[in-house]
Amino acid sequence: MKALHCLSYGEPPELTVADIDEPLPGPGEALIAVEAVGLGGFDAVLLGGRYQERPSLPFVPGRELTGRVLAVGEGGDPAMVGARVAAIAFRGALAERTVAHLSHCLTVPAGMEAAVAASFLTSYATGLYALEDCGRLAAGETVLVLGGAGTVGAAAIDLAKAMGARVVAAASSPEKLEFCRARGADVLVDYADPNWRKELAGRIGGGVDVVLDPVGGALSEAAFRSLAPRGRHLVVGFASGEIPRIPLNLPLLKRASIVGVDWGGFMQKEPDGNRDLMRRLGGLYDSGALHPEPSSVHPVGAVADLLMGFLERRSVGKPVVRVEFGAS
Ligand SMILES: NC(=O)c1ccc[n+]([C@@H]2O[C@H](COP(=O)([O-])OP(=O)(O)OC[C@H]3O[C@@H](n4cnc5c(N)ncnc54)[C@H](OP(=O)(O)O)[C@@H]3O)[C@@H](O)[C@H]2O)c1
């Protein structure tokens, strides 16, 4: 079968199309014919060689996919054969066929297109886990979404609106803020402006109840200082490349919490909790409250440039790759 091979890490990484053996599904795994792959900031950091884990080279990248189940391994539910799933494969998704554990597969809701499904799972599951399970966001509260035009940020705006919150989206350019407005954000803040915190306080008349933070760096402490008493700061990631240090007198003085969000760890270590999360996510989607969509759809040959788009802060929303090697 054909697959995209990463030959060397880098910015951009060296990628080539290769003929490799088809994977075999192990116990509890599904063999999936891949239709589309969603990319995120994680893929760019991994292939740039800056993630703590470095798969040995060459390897097939791609973490999040949509496709049809062709076969299941020992102990897998045979009724899943033929199902269309959104799945997390961790790696190996940018190939004609891949394997994923069945507990990391979500049946795609009827009528959801492949590209939409590939833009949905990681960003929306992370957003719901962050806002509902970790942040206890309640209707009527105000949430500040940093990096609002990123893959996680865009999903968090949509989810927070569905949960009845007032959403402040923060980003670094007017174009990105316009994207956040179109996703439903109520208030827009350009954090490239050094006075952004003052602007924010004036516009919302006080502090925010929840901060969703996939960015890190200097922005994190500034955002924490914008929390209202009993606020919750949700640590989702460090897209800025810098892990911040927050003085612990700040949570004490505000009676506020810093909460770590790791959906990947939750999915692997708490499968029952994750099944419940997936049920809630599916219910929200079926109710019509969510609006997942890829920001753009690309051929396989565009992967290296899409990864650079994340690293160079050009990327907006969730780009999806259609897995058709003839067309790349
Ligand atoms: N904890 C979890 O369960 C979980 C799940 C998924 C992803 N993540 C992590 O969350 C982070 C964000 O992922 P994502 O897919 O949303 O990434 P993304 O689409 O690239 O969005 C990140 C945003 O961060 C901002 N940013 C600020 N400085 C940046 C820099 N130096 N380089 C790149 N972006 C910068 C950018 O917005 P502005 O230009 O507007 O500032 C960008 O839109 C990553 O660290 C990822 O690994 C965590």
Side-chain angles (χ1 to χ4, degrees), residues 39-42 45 51 63 122-123 126 129 146-153 170-173 176 191 213-215 219 235-241 261-265 309-313 315-318:
L39 296 178
F42 168 84
V45 171
Y51 192 64
R63 185 174 189 276
T122 297
S123 49
T126 301
Y129 177 58
L146 304 179
T151 79
V152 175
S172 65
S173 70
K176 287 187 174 185
Y191 50 44
D213 183 0
V215 180
L219 210 49
V235 182
V236 175
F238 311 104
S240 66
V261 176
D262 176 12
W263 174 61
F310 287 108
L311 300 175
E312 293 167 352
R313 290 169 88 168
S315 189
V316 170
K318 182 86 178 174

Side-chain angles (χ1 to χ4, degrees), residues 68-246:
R68 192 171 292 282
V69 176
L70 298 174
V72 294
E74 190 190 326
D77 179 359
M80 286 300 286
V81 175
R84 282 187 71 232
V85 292
I88 303 296
F90 295 102
R91 76 179 77 134
L94 280 159
E96 288 178 311
R97 287 172 286 285
T98 193
V99 290
H101 201 275
L102 280 159
S103 63
H104 302 153
C105 296
L106 178 71
T107 303
V108 172
M112 194 189 253
E113 272 183 41
V116 175
S119 74
F120 183 56
L121 188 53
T122 297
S123 49
Y124 276 78
T126 301
L128 187 63
Y129 177 58
L131 295 172
E132 198 163 83
D133 298 54
C134 302
R136 307 280 168 212
L137 180 68
E141 288 192 316
T142 300
V143 56
L144 168 63
V145 178
L146 304 179
T151 79
V152 175
I157 293 171
D158 196 24
L159 281 157
K161 287 302 293 176
M163 292 165 73
R166 175 166 63 153
V167 180
V168 183
S172 65
S173 70
E175 296 73 26
K176 287 187 174 185
L177 289 170
E178 175 51 30
F179 174 85
C180 297
R181 191 198 56 72
R183 297 287 298 165
D186 301 295
V187 179
L188 305 174
V189 172
D190 186 341
Y191 50 44
D193 175 351
N195 292 320
W196 72 268
R197 282 194 55 227
K198 211 166 147 194
E199 173 99 353
L200 167 69
R203 306 240 325 257
I204 66 169
V208 299
D209 300 295
V210 172
V211 172
L212 183 130
D213 183 0
V215 180
L219 210 49
S220 296
E221 183 175 328
F224 192 92
R225 288 178 183 273
S226 295
L227 277 174
R230 305 184 66 180
R232 290 86 76 198
H233 187 115
L234 308 176
V235 182
V236 175
F238 311 104
S240 66
E242 193 190 326
I243 298 175
R245 291 164 187 269
I246 298 206

